[in-house]
Structures are given as C-alpha cells and as structure tokens.
Amino acid sequence: MYFYIKLGLVLLLTGTGFGVGAQSEFIDISSSAGFDETGFNRGVAVGDFDNDGDDDVYLSRLNQPNFLYRNNGDGTFTDVGVEAGVNDDGNSHTAAWGDFDNDGNLDLYVGNKAAPNKLYYNNGNGTFTDIAESAGVNILGKPRTILLADIDRDGFLDIYVANIQGENAMFRNNGNLTFEDITESSGTSDTQLSMGAMFFDYDNDGDPDLYLTHDGNQAYIMLQNDGTGNFMDVSASSGTNYEGLGMGVDFGDVNNDGWLDIYITNLSYNTLYLNNGDGTFSDISEAAMIRDPGMGWGTTFLDYDNDGLQDIYMVNDSYFSPLPNILYRNKGDNTFEEVAIDSPVASMYASYGTACTDMNHDGLIDIFITNSGSDGNQLFENNLSSPGNWFKIKLEGTISNRSAIGARVTINAAGKIFTDEVSGGTGYASQNSFTLHFGLGDIEEVEELTIRWPNGLVETYNGLAVNQMITAIENESFVVNTQELPLGLDVFEIAPNPCPEKTPLQITLAGAFEQQVDIYATDILGRYTARIYNGTLFSGEQTIEWESGPAESGWYIITVQSAGNRVSKKVYLR
C-alpha cells in the first residue's frame, strides 16, 4: 500500500507592514463590479453557491425580483438569478445560505412579506428548485430576519424566522429535507415586533443561544439553549433586556477575552453589551463611544485594518435621519473612534443591509451595502496600504452540519486570544461570509488554533503561518490555500489513509526553479515527532519516503514548507 501527497507550492507574496491607528482606504467599486442596482433593496447574504472558491451575493428586494450575483473572480459580479431560478419576486426582505442536506451545496431560504417563504434547493449545477412546500416551511408572515443553526446538534441545520408581526417560527430539520414546527415546544415563540436576531454561544457551553431585538420599545430577549434545542428566557438575569427601537445586531469579541459581546443598532442611540463571562452583560455604550443617534439598520463586526481588534461598521437610513454610515475603529481599551469620515463607507443613503467578505482574497475585509431608492447598492473594496497580518479559515463539517454553522475558532498567539463563530445570519436581514477572518497585527505565527465543531469535537493545530487561508475538514484534515493558488485546487491528496509505516510522499512543486523544502511530522497537538526531509528539490514531481519507525499508531500532521508557504494535512498511521 502506498501513501501519496501531491503538493502545489507557490510563493506567498503578502505584505506584513502594520500601521497603528490605520485610517480606512475603502474604494467604491459598485459600478465596475456590477453591484449598483437601484430599487427597494433590503438584505444581503454572502455564500459560495457554486463552490468555485469565491463568495457570491444574494440580494433580497421589495416589489422587485431578487438578485443572485455570481462572483466572477476578477472584481466583477454577474446577476444569474433568472437562470438559477432564485429571482423570487415575493416581496423579499431577508435570506440565508446553508446546506440543509449536507450534500456540499449551499441551499437558500428566503423570507417574504405577504407571500410564502421559499426554500431553494441547490441542484449542484447552478440551478435551484423551490421545495418549501414539500419541506413544510412555506409559511406566510412578515419576516425581518432568517437564521440558521443546528440547535440540537444532530448534524442538520434548523431554521428560525423572526417576524415583525405575528409569531416567530422555529423549524427543526428532520434530516430528509422536511422540517417540523417546534416553536412552542422549543421555547422560542415570540409574538412581538421582532427585527434583528442572531444565534451565538454567549455562555461558551458549546450550543447556539438566541438573541432577539424588537421595535416599539419592547424588551429584547436572550434565550439560553440547554444543549438539546430547548430554550429558557434569561433576558433579565443576563442584563440584555434593553428596551428600545432595535433594528440590527451582531456579535464579536471586543476585548479579546474569549467571550462574545453584542452590538445593537437602534432608531436613536445604539447599544454595546460587554460579556462579563459569568452569564451577564454590562452596557458600556456610553463609555465606548459607539452610540450614534441615527436610524441604524445593518451592522457587522470586522477587523478592517487587521490590527487584531474587532471594529464595528453600521449603516443608517440617512434620509430618515441625516447621519452617515459609520466605521468605528476599536482602540483596544473598550472604546472606539469614528474613522473613514470622508471615505465612501460613510455614505448618506437609505442603507439597510450590510455584510462582509474578502471578495478578492487579499487578506482585507470588503463591505457590501444594500440601499433603498435611486442611489444604488454599494461595494467597498478595502485597499488599506499598511494593514497587519491576518489568518483566514473556512470550515467543512463531516459529523456536524456541512456548513459548519455554529463552529467556534479560537486563536492563541503572543499571549492574546482571538475568537469568532461561523454564523447563519446576523446584522439586519443579512449574512456574512462563512470564511472566518482574523486580523493579527504584528503577530507572525498562529501558535495554537482550536476548532470547536458544532457536535462538540475539539481539534487543535499548532505553529501555523500567518497571511494564509486554510480549509479545515472536521475529523479529517486541513488544507492550506493562498491567493496565488488557482481557486478550487486541491493542494494535496492522500490515498490511502490510514497509511503504513513506510510511506512514499510524492510531491509536485510549481515553478521552474530549485526550492528549499522542509518536510516534517507532528502529533495532533502540534508536537514535533520526525524530520522527514530537509533540502533542495527541483520543480515537478519528486518522491520522498517517510519511515515512521517506532511512532505509535494515531493521528499525525505532515507539513511541507517551501518558498514561504506551508501546507499541512492530517493522516492516520496504522
């Protein structure tokens, strides 16, 4: 039996300069990108529906057909909504991507006003089929937010619909593309004026909790998950029962303590809740200087300058209240400063939805905005000239839901903690990229990376290079990608796995030059176990034999490093 690794190794050309207190350098590329459509635009959902490695964009619109913008990979987008069959004209307000049957293709659930909601099943060939009726989720209502989460951790994504009028709905996925309404039995019923909502693990116990904001000065609600998909109202005891005119909401770790905090946009002053780590939150809005008294809608946490601190972007309906959209820079002491005041991101339109992605794979977060009226939607490309280092990770569940919604990633490096979760909908009527992005400032190595998968499995990797993206596959491996690699390329393959004691490694090096190559093995905790090869190799296919010798059976990580690029994969030694 033989064990082959095929590796495409390329130079990683990324700057590591880092400007402290960096101002934003966003460019409005809406027109050239093909993203400036006018109309009553509401939500924006980001997801890679065609699995080509580029994030695509779905726009929910009122009184007009929705758009599905396919990312062409060159800074432009093409509306393929008609040919894909998702150009719903049911007065849509919100939508969310998620793989409901774990087949590797993102499906789409769309929330409509006064028309049945749609569940578009991804056929895997660029087209979708509406199965909402057979799935049992074609309900009528006035949804403001669609959320996806695996509330009972059975490996299948469930659906929550937050309605501004009427009762909210919680649908449990039966695992066969049908759903059961468990709103009452799960304790997630709410008949108030629901607006922004999100699932996130506020108490760090491994299951998704639910937070709801309301319009009409109705108290906001925190629902704690008991781990089985049953929820208990802890709004008062957690200190999160704010009463206001709530619109959007998102989570992020403001102070890098490993506990997720909450930012809420309101009509009038916004709110920032700091997670105390004991089941309670403290309102630090005034001291943090993020209050903005405008007509707030969409919001998102992001590290736009890669300094290792979560910043906040929020948008206003500037025609209702004459205040601009705002980018708040995190100063690292639980306070923020408004930046980009003269930048395109401070636009003065009727903005509603906003979402983030690194659309061009340059390690900088870009921003989408939906605007209502004649101004057109906006796409802001981040061109900061001296950002900090970064690290990106995309997760693929095998035991957990395939989309890995609810998975938590924690990075420990240079004595600091960086935490984020894969989300199935946040902000207002919107959804960020499934790829998690971490700014790291001047940190030059990810000393430890921990993935807590939705089903409870915890995996840890050590000694990862910065300024790269990896794809982590649950209980199998991780694969390293860089922006130089052709999108969709498998960096290396293993066959068979488990592997025998003597294993020939077949390595393919890109480029017509000789390279210094270092190949070594570590155990699952990242501890060095063997040097397999260290020397020069020419481009093309080479074979190196790994003699595992007295190593014990179990999981190991084989790492190949060349030309500044590091590629790793987990293997099982028999």
Side-chain angles (χ1 to χ4, degrees), residues 143-205:
R144 287 296 183 266
T145 297
I146 299 295
L147 301 178
L148 308 182
D150 183 2
I151 63 169
D152 51 5
R153 299 189 294 179
D154 65 351
F156 292 95
L157 287 175
D158 310 302
I159 302 173
Y160 191 74
V161 182
N163 290 303
I164 192 171
Q165 291 177 333
E167 186 177 25
N168 295 350
M170 180 79 246
F171 291 105
R172 182 185 181 275
N173 190 334
N174 296 319
N176 59 1
L177 291 179
T178 69
F179 293 77
E180 176 187 359
D181 188 337
I182 60 167
T183 309
E184 297 298 331
S185 62
S186 65
T188 57
S189 175
D190 181 24
T191 58
Q192 300 182 84
L193 301 176
S194 291
M195 297 293 283
M198 63 181 180
F199 282 106
F200 76 126
D201 186 6
Y202 86 91
D203 52 3
N204 288 4
D205 65 352

Side-chain angles (χ1 to χ4, degrees), residues 281-298:
F281 290 76
S282 296
D283 186 344
I284 63 167
S285 309
E286 195 73 43
M289 295 182 288
I290 47 73
R291 299 228 64 190
D292 180 59
M295 175 68 263
W297 288 98

Side-chain angles (χ1 to χ4, degrees), residues 409-439:
V409 174
T410 301
I411 290 175
N412 285 276
K416 298 179 180 178
I417 301 173
F418 307 88
T419 304
D420 204 357
E421 288 183 1
V422 181
S423 175
T426 56
Y428 177 76
S430 298
Q431 182 180 29
N432 284 325
S433 173
F434 286 96
T435 299
L436 299 182
H437 171 275
F438 294 90

Side-chain angles (χ1 to χ4, degrees), residues 202-213:
Y202 86 91
D203 52 3
N204 288 4
D205 65 352
D207 53 53
D209 308 300
L210 177 61
Y211 190 64
L212 304 169
T213 72

